Amino acid sequence: MEYVLLVLGFVLLIKGADFFVEGSSSVAKRLRVPSLIIGMTIVAMGTSLPECAVSIRAALAHNTGVAVGNAVGSNIFNLMVVCGVCSLFCVMPVSRETLKRDFPLSILAAIALLGLGYMGMTLGHIDGAILLGAFTGFLIWMIQSARKARANGEAGEDEEYKIRPVWQCVIFIVGGAVAIKYGGDFVVNSASKIADNFGMSPNLIGLTIVAFGTSLPELVTSVVAAKKKEVDMALGNVIGSNIFNILLVLGVASAICPIQFKMENIIDITVLVAVSILVLIFCWTKQKLVRWEGIVMLLVYAGYMGYICVR
């Protein structure tokens, strides 16, 4: 039953996030919010809703292993596996903005998380407020940069969002929120029981099963795009998601309920910083990821999985 509830929880999280974003985007469009702003806020944050729901629920249940492991594990998985697998199918180009702006920011966010967590081994309310403040600043910067690029003719047309009837928007938003809530409950509770049954630590479950489940949509979408040779800004999307997972997900979770850190959490965040720097080095000179680099990334991830399973 725990496995059934785990799978059901992932389905509720993923589909709930889709419906919530769809309904919210339609409402924003009705209120004449520009498509650019909708894409940079509601839609972008929607991709982090599953991780956010799981980490908040885990923090409230004082299950710090799942709360931190989910966010950090998702970031490592996105970077090493999603991008690594995609580069096996085709060359992955990397934009200059990703290399000069987003990539350094993602590394700084991970270093900030490492520092805040190491001091006192707790991510408290003030730490959460700091992360959320940094997230707000990042969001404003992204919107201003996108507006400037559009004004200079460097960006394409805004994506149009379908305007649905009001009753449908209400159903999508309320239904999506309910699905996200219960999906998070199912994932955290069932993952914790599975960990107890096998004598595994909650942190290991968060870094593996939970991180994989919440990152599954990105993996499937990216692999399909890679097969169709449509992965123009795939790495940029992954880096943006990683920044959201640290600043938004752990920011909200720790602002609601303090998260206790263990030394294994510090090690995992250090690994995240190291692999981020590795991928940055791969991309810096050529502005792209090629097959052999993807193979190295997957081997590094396999080695990391072996390490956390035996520690």
Side-chain angles (χ1 to χ4, degrees):
M1 182 57 68
E2 283 83 4
Y3 296 102
V4 173
L5 290 177
L6 184 67
V7 174
L8 178 61
F10 285 138
V11 172
L12 288 174
L13 282 173
I14 294 165
K15 298 308 296 182
D18 287 343
F19 282 123
F20 185 86
V21 168
E22 184 75 20
S24 301
S25 300
S26 186
V27 169
K29 201 64 182 175
R30 279 185 174 275
L31 297 175
R32 300 184 184 278
V33 176
S35 297
L36 173 68
I37 307 300
I38 297 173
M40 289 289 187
T41 54
I42 298 172
V43 176
M45 286 186 284
T47 60
S48 294
L49 278 176
E51 288 89 347
C52 202
V54 169
S55 290
I56 290 174
R57 177 65 182 82
L60 290 173
H62 302 289
N63 194 336
T64 57
V66 172
V68 180
N70 168 49
V72 175
S74 292
N75 280 14
I76 296 174
F77 184 89
N78 285 343
L79 197 59
M80 305 303 286
V81 177
V82 174
C83 292
V85 169
C86 287
S87 63
L88 298 182
F89 293 99
C90 63
V91 174
M92 289 181 62
V94 184
S95 70
R96 183 169 298 179
E97 290 75 15
T98 297
L99 286 175
K100 292 188 175 181
R101 181 191 65 187
D102 299 337
F103 228 135
L105 276 175
S106 71
I107 296 174
L108 286 175
I111 292 174
L113 177 63
L114 180 63
L116 292 173
Y118 187 74
M119 292 187 299
M121 299 300 286
T122 302
L123 207 62
H125 297 305
I126 296 178
D127 299 322
I130 292 173
L131 292 176
L132 288 176
F135 171 74
T136 303
F138 172 68
L139 208 58
I140 294 172
W141 186 17
M142 278 203 313
I143 293 172
Q144 290 177 340
S145 299
R147 280 178 166 172
K148 183 178 179 181
R150 185 179 62 175
N152 293 336
E154 298 172 5
E157 294 295 320
D158 282 343
E159 183 179 351
E160 291 299 324
Y161 298 97
K162 183 179 180 180
I163 301 180
R164 297 182 176 274
V166 174
W167 66 268
Q168 203 172 67
C169 293
V170 172
I171 292 176
F172 275 32
I173 293 173
V174 174
V178 171
I180 291 169
K181 191 272 180 190
Y182 284 102
D185 290 349
F186 289 160
V187 168
V188 173
N189 292 337
S190 56
S192 299
K193 289 180 181 178
I194 291 171
D196 289 338
N197 292 340
F198 285 92
M200 302 167 65
S201 71
N203 186 58
L204 176 58
I205 289 290
L207 286 167
T208 54
I209 298 174
V210 178
F212 173 78
T214 53
S215 298
L216 195 57
E218 288 91 340
L219 176 61
V220 174
T221 302
S222 298
V223 168
V224 171
K227 287 184 176 180
K228 295 180 179 179
K229 305 293 191 281
E230 297 173 357
V231 289
D232 288 345
M233 296 297 119
L235 184 60
N237 294 334
V238 165
I239 297 301
S241 177
N242 283 7
I243 295 173
F244 274 45
N245 283 347
I246 292 177
L247 300 184
L248 175 64
V249 173
L250 290 179
V252 171
S254 57
I256 294 175
C257 182
I259 300 174
Q260 298 296 321
F261 269 54
K262 298 179 181 179
M263 186 51 63
E264 59 187 15
N265 300 130
I266 300 299
I267 294 173
D268 295 329
I269 300 171
T270 303
V271 170
L272 173 60
V273 174
V275 297
S276 298
I277 293 174
L278 173 65
V279 179
L280 178 60
I281 292 172
F282 280 162
C283 300
W284 189 260
T285 55
K286 308 180 300 297
Q287 291 191 9
K288 61 184 178 182
L289 277 176
V290 295
R291 180 173 296 173
W292 74 265
E293 292 167 334
I295 293 173
V296 171
M297 291 158 63
L298 291 173
L299 290 175
V300 170
Y301 185 79
Y304 171 64
M305 285 293 101
Y307 159 71
I308 65 174
C309 286
V310 300
R311 71 182 178 189

